Amino acid sequence: MPVLALVSAIFVVAFEQLVQWQYGGAGIVGLLLLTVGVKAKSPSVSSAGAVLLALLVAGPAL
């Protein structure tokens, strides 16, 4: 079981680094808001994070 937790932690850190490299600080803030909102069961916080990430992803197309 600890091996699974270690692999999950490595995946999360790698994903956060990828988001930060691709979208900068705003991407990390959006990912943080989304994660905190889901864990706290707060639809408004998770929605704000999801909207921020969607705007960052769709920004070049707009």
Side-chain angles (χ1 to χ4, degrees), residues 37-53:
V38 167
K39 295 239 184 221
K41 294 183 172 87
S42 174
S44 59
V45 175
S46 59
S47 295
V51 167
L52 181 58
L53 288 173

Side-chain angles (χ1 to χ4, degrees), residues 5-25:
L6 179 64
V7 170
S8 296
I10 291 171
F11 177 73
V12 167
V13 169
F15 183 71
E16 286 178 349
Q17 289 298 318
L18 179 67
V19 168
Q20 185 174 13
W21 174 71
Q22 184 72 28
Y23 301 109

